[in-house]
């Protein structure tokens, strides 16, 4: 009988597993809690990032639409300028063109600040800046000819060069709008 009693004494020396199980459970729960907190923060950061990208793309789209509208207004003005029976002489349109050029340059600068920068959109923005500069230089030449009284040469320059440069600006802006829509779809 002493043998079962000695086994019982040896079993009594082994601590109960409940303490170890409680420690293991606490460790597992703390790991789970840390994971939940980390995941919640990451999800919140991702949501904020997404909202920020969408807002920036929306602002960039508004500036591109502003550029598109200015290009449309330039097309109407160029059409009126090219007509020889226009109510106003060419030199009187210079203030309108200067206002539209300044507005387009401002919109292009703001769009560059807001838009997501991808290699394709970066190249298009550079093309847009060059096209706006080239358009401005040609428009200045048209108004210089008009100031000298060479209105027929100015009208020819409007029809041959200035309208083509405006069409290039419109095409670049349209392509930037497509790239901006793609960037917004990627962000969503």
């Amino acid at each position: 009988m002493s043998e079962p009693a000695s086994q019982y004494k040896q079993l009594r020396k082994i601590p109960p597993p409940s303490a170890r199980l409680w420690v293991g459970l606490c460790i597992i729960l703390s790991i789970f809690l840390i994971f939940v907190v980390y995941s919640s923060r990451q999800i919140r950061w991702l949501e904020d990032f997404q909202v920020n990208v969408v807002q920036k793309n929306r602002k960039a789209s508004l500036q591109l639409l502003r550029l598109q509208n200015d290009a449309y207004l330039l097309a109407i003005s160029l059409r009126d300028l090219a007509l020889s029976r226009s109510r106003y002489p060419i030199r009187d349109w210079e203030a309108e063109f200067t206002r539209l050029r300044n507005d387009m340059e401002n919109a292009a600068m703001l769009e560059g600040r807001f838009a997501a920068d991808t290699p394709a959109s970066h190249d298009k923005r550079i093309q847009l800046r060059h096209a706006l500069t080239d358009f401005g230089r040609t428009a200045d030449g048209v108004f210089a000819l008009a100031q000298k009284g060479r209105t027929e040469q100015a009208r020819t320059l409007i029809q041959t060069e200035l309208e083509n440069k405006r069409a290039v600006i419109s095409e670049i802006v349209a392509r930037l709008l497509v790239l901006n829509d793609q960037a917004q779809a990627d962000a969503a």
Side-chain angles (χ1 to χ4, degrees):
M1 277 254 147
S2 71
E3 196 176 303
S6 69
Q7 283 181 347
Y8 179 73
K9 284 182 183 180
Q10 284 180 343
L11 290 176
R12 265 194 106 136
K13 291 179 185 178
I14 298 175
S18 60
R20 287 178 286 173
L21 289 174
W22 279 109
V23 170
L25 181 65
C26 290
I27 290 172
I28 289 172
L29 288 177
S30 62
I31 290 171
F32 179 74
L33 185 63
I34 290 170
F35 176 75
V36 167
V37 170
Y38 174 77
S39 297
S40 298
R41 284 188 150 174
Q42 290 299 316
I43 290 171
R44 194 172 311 119
W45 177 84
L46 185 60
E47 287 172 345
D48 291 343
F49 177 75
Q50 233 176 356
V51 166
N52 191 21
V53 167
V54 168
Q55 288 294 345
K56 285 180 121 185
N57 277 347
R58 188 172 296 136
K59 288 178 181 180
S61 292
L62 288 173
Q63 297 308 315
L64 288 169
L65 291 173
R66 181 176 156 197
L67 277 164
Q68 200 172 42
N69 184 53
D70 288 342
Y72 173 73
L73 293 173
L74 280 174
I76 293 172
S77 297
L78 288 173
R79 183 202 63 204
D80 291 344
L81 276 173
L83 297 174
S84 59
R85 60 183 189 277
S86 178
R87 290 191 288 173
Y88 303 107
I90 292 176
R91 66 181 179 275
D92 290 349
W93 289 84
E94 189 169 8
E96 174 73 11
F97 271 73
T98 302
R99 182 189 67 77
L100 286 172
R101 267 180 34 202
N102 290 339
D103 191 49
M104 291 177 88
E105 288 169 1
N106 186 331
M109 181 202 54
L110 289 174
E111 189 274 338
R113 191 179 314 156
F114 294 134
D117 199 24
T118 63
S121 64
H122 181 72
D123 291 344
K124 286 294 177 186
R125 280 187 205 89
I126 290 172
Q127 288 177 7
L128 179 63
R129 271 187 251 123
H130 290 309
L132 287 172
T133 303
D134 198 28
F135 180 85
R137 218 176 298 121
T138 305
D140 290 340
V142 166
F143 293 119
L145 286 173
Q147 291 291 341
K148 293 177 185 174
R150 297 160 57 187
T151 57
E152 285 310 311
Q153 283 180 321
R155 280 195 173 87
T156 303
L157 191 61
I158 290 167
Q159 292 170 344
T160 58
E161 288 188 37
L162 207 54
E163 177 55 38
N164 292 338
K165 294 178 190 307
R166 188 221 44 93
V168 167
I169 291 170
S170 293
E171 187 274 326
I172 292 171
V173 169
R175 183 67 186 140
L176 279 169
L177 274 167
V178 168
L179 291 172
N180 196 339
D181 286 345
Q182 286 174 350
Q184 188 156 347
D186 291 345

